[in-house]
Amino acid sequence: MSPEAEAGASDARPLARARWLDAPESRELLDALEAEGKQARFVGGCVRDTLLDPDLDPEDLDLATQERPERLLQRLPLLGFHVVATGLKHGTVTVIRGRRRYEITTLRRDVACFGRHAEVEFSDDFEEDAARRDFTINAMSCDRTGRLYDYFGGREDLFAGRIRFVGEPEQRIREDFLRILRFFRFYARFGRAPAEPAALSACRKLAFGLDRLSGERIRGELERLLQAPGAVAALRLMVESEVGARIFPVAPDLERLERLRALAPAADWLLCTAALLRGRLDEAGALRFAARLRLSNRERDRLSALLTAELPDPRAPRGVHERLAYRLGLALWADLLRLAAVERGTDPALLETRLRELAGFVPPRFPLGGRDLLARGIPTGPRVGRLLEAVRRWWEDEGFRPDRAACLARLDALLAAESAGQENAASAGRTVSREDRERRAEG
Ligand code: ATP
Ligand code: MG
């Protein structure tokens, strides 16, 4: 059968000049995949995205092939390809070549579906493989000549901003509830209002299924949704269709996210999440949400700080901000400042000034350590930490300028004041508070 005769094939070769298709590593891989008479095609994101922007040159590329995965694992290494069995039970292997990553999946038809665990049957038929994909815009493929195979009108949907399920939305969602989130994720990226009513009502009806999904999968979709230009519009639809309540523990503040994205277009997904939820979740709630999404410990701590730490005052003088940046780390300080600016409606120019002022700020190293106190005969214990903290706070207040000698002198002054205080206190028959001692040391 010639490609022209095949359903879905077009005469046009809109991807003939795609840079990734023409790249030598892609050519070599296609040659290897098709050496024994089987066909292979690029599919999914690279085809979709390059139709919109012909200059695109993604490094992550998906391929569909008639060859079975076991055979790929045998054959490709003999031809010099580094092959990893990344998802063998779905029929996927990964080839890394140069700077590119190719996910190669054997053509499939999904026979029985239990949630995400589709029973897989391999196939020789590209149209069957396209039919198991989620949306028409994701079901397009192209061969080595750049010819487009579009079985379900994906190209037209793409240019019209329509996210349309392949087949019946309800059935497709019942096969895999993650497709609800994927619907909103792709809407956030490509969608133009109004969204498909049939898809929306299927999402609403089956939103309960999201509770059964793993946190990793939800996080993956939410992260990518929040990076998309239309995130706020998509989230609004999610809230309206009762999907939002399955993902967020409290109603998200969409207006605040909108303001954050206007003020800080590069805000990453966790900062966006903080804009959505800040002030509505306490620390325990933040930790539960982080656990549900299976965030790493670092991400959890960052989100928790973004949700609960006090916000800096953008109008405070530079020294205050330097001290905060020193305490919090520059990145967290900057993000809290952005949230503060959103909260207070700060002039964007002032925010910019603040951020620029500290752009080159290298948090200085406090010149003293526990060893310095031990060297002065102070035994290990809470007193060491207390004294160090007192000197450190003075050093911060002095704009981090005092050097090691000055800090040691300060320490000695504190120690002297302490013993004088103890003598005074002993004679006065009372103990001296830490504040008293410090005040005296300062005076
Ligand atoms: P992105 O550029 O955001 O990665 P993508 O289209 O590559 O977009 P992936 O999640 O990487 O999206 O999936 C690759 C392809 O696999 C999709 O284009 C789609 O054809 C198919 N696919 C992925 N997940 C599903 C799913 N849950 N149900 C059906 N098809 C899916
Ligand atoms: Mg992808």
Side-chain angles (χ1 to χ4, degrees):
M1 188 168 63
S2 74
E4 287 84 352
E6 195 185 324
S10 71
D11 284 337
R13 293 190 165 81
L15 297 165
R17 287 168 194 284
R19 286 156 60 183
W20 44 270
L21 186 59
D22 204 35
E25 54 270 35
S26 296
R27 292 277 154 207
E28 288 159 19
L29 181 59
L30 280 173
D31 288 344
L33 288 171
E34 297 189 327
E36 294 189 334
K38 305 275 188 185
Q39 290 176 40
R41 292 185 198 160
F42 284 95
V43 65
C46 58
V47 174
R48 179 197 64 214
D49 297 350
T50 309
L51 284 175
L52 284 180
D53 177 358
D55 286 331
L56 225 59
D57 193 14
E59 298 183 347
D60 286 332
L61 298 155
D62 291 300
L63 283 144
T65 176
Q66 295 172 326
E67 188 78 278
R68 300 291 183 269
E70 317 79 62
R71 190 83 187 114
L72 293 173
L73 283 174
Q74 277 173 351
R75 254 176 10 88
L76 291 178
L78 299 178
L79 297 169
F81 290 91
H82 179 60
V83 189
V84 188
T86 41
L88 222 44
K89 62 175 189 289
H90 308 288
T92 304
V93 304
T94 300
V95 164
I96 297 167
R97 186 78 153 185
R99 63 189 170 93
R100 298 184 202 269
R101 253 176 71 97
Y102 300 89
E103 289 218 334
I104 308 166
T105 305
T106 304
L107 297 184
R108 276 164 42 181
R109 73 177 75 95
D110 286 340
V111 280
C113 283
F114 306 100
R116 68 175 289 212
H117 299 289
E119 226 167 82
V120 172
E121 207 172 85
F122 294 130
S123 150
D124 277 335
D125 183 344
F126 282 94
E127 183 167 354
E128 269 180 346
D129 186 72
R132 63 139 185 117
R133 294 177 185 270
D134 45 10
F135 306 109
T136 60
I137 60 168
N138 287 348
M140 295 181 278
S141 55
C142 83
D143 64 17
R144 59 164 62 231
T145 70
R147 185 190 305 278
L148 183 72
Y149 299 82
D150 178 11
Y151 303 97
F152 309 107
R155 190 183 194 186
E156 211 187 302
D157 287 342
L158 182 64
F159 283 95
R162 270 193 306 266
I163 312 303
R164 202 156 53 80
F165 280 92
V166 173
E168 225 277 299
E170 242 191 84
Q171 187 200 331
R172 300 313 311 282
I173 292 173
R174 283 188 197 280
E175 289 166 7
D176 180 358
F177 289 107
L178 190 74
R179 290 175 186 156
I180 295 176
L181 289 186
R182 292 178 62 85
F183 174 77
F184 291 105
R185 193 242 289 187
F186 286 107
Y187 184 80
R189 198 156 149 212
F190 301 108
R192 281 201 289 278
E196 292 283 291
L200 273 181
S201 65
C203 289
R204 176 197 300 270
K205 181 169 173 192
L206 300 174
F208 65 89
L210 292 170
D211 296 353
R212 302 179 195 170
L213 295 177
S214 75
E216 288 90 342
R217 297 186 88 206
I218 294 182
R219 174 242 162 91
E221 293 300 325
L222 184 62
E223 177 172 358
R224 293 201 262 181
L225 186 153
L226 286 169
Q227 286 160 358
V232 174
L235 286 165
R236 190 163 290 127
L237 280 182
M238 280 170 76
V239 170
E240 285 165 10
S241 55
E242 290 161 42
V243 168
R246 300 281 173 179
I247 301 299
F248 301 111
V250 291
D253 187 336
L254 301 177
E255 281 66 43
R256 188 164 50 198
L257 176 62
E258 201 158 21
R259 278 180 275 135
L260 173 72
R261 287 164 72 97
L263 204 62
D268 74 353
W269 80 283
L270 279 179
L271 181 54
C272 289
T273 303
L276 288 170
L277 303 178
R278 204 184 139 90
R280 303 176 174 208
L281 271 188
D282 60 7
E283 170 138 27
L287 295 182
R288 270 196 305 276
F289 183 61
R292 170 68 179 122
L293 293 190
R294 300 247 169 199
L295 300 191
S296 70
N297 291 351
R298 268 182 85 135
E299 292 168 328
R300 175 202 62 202
D301 292 345
R302 176 162 169 245
L303 180 64
S304 167
L306 289 172
L307 286 172
T308 59
E310 199 182 317
L311 295 183
D313 179 354
R315 289 162 314 173
R318 175 175 176 153
V320 171
H321 289 289
E322 286 189 346
R323 258 169 280 155
L324 280 169
Y326 170 75
R327 292 244 148 181
L328 299 165
L330 196 59
L332 180 57
W333 164 80
D335 283 345
L336 288 170
L337 190 72
R338 293 183 179 104
L339 287 173
V342 168
E343 207 64 71
R344 295 162 190 250
T346 302
D347 178 3
L350 175 62
L351 174 66
E352 268 318 298
T353 307
R354 282 285 168 264
L355 291 171
R356 209 166 344 97
E357 268 173 4
L358 263 67
F361 176 72
V362 182
R365 239 178 57 81
F366 180 52
L368 301 193
R371 225 178 271 168
D372 297 309
L373 283 100
L374 299 183
R376 280 166 168 66
I378 299 172
T380 332
R383 193 167 157 230
V384 169
R386 232 185 306 121
L387 283 162
L388 272 180
E389 195 47 32
V391 181
R392 188 206 303 272
R393 234 182 301 134
W394 167 80
W395 170 76
E396 287 177 25
D397 289 343
E398 295 293 314
F400 314 106
R401 272 183 299 271
D403 60 5
R404 182 172 156 76
C407 288
L408 284 172
R410 178 73 181 183
L411 173 65
D412 290 333
L414 274 178
L415 288 171
E418 235 185 25
S419 51
Q422 265 154 15
E423 274 162 36
N424 288 349
S427 57
R430 62 171 177 90
T431 50
V432 180
S433 75
R434 179 170 144 224
E435 284 76 356
D436 274 350
R437 261 182 272 135
E438 280 174 16
R439 210 173 305 131
R440 231 169 284 169
E442 242 140 64

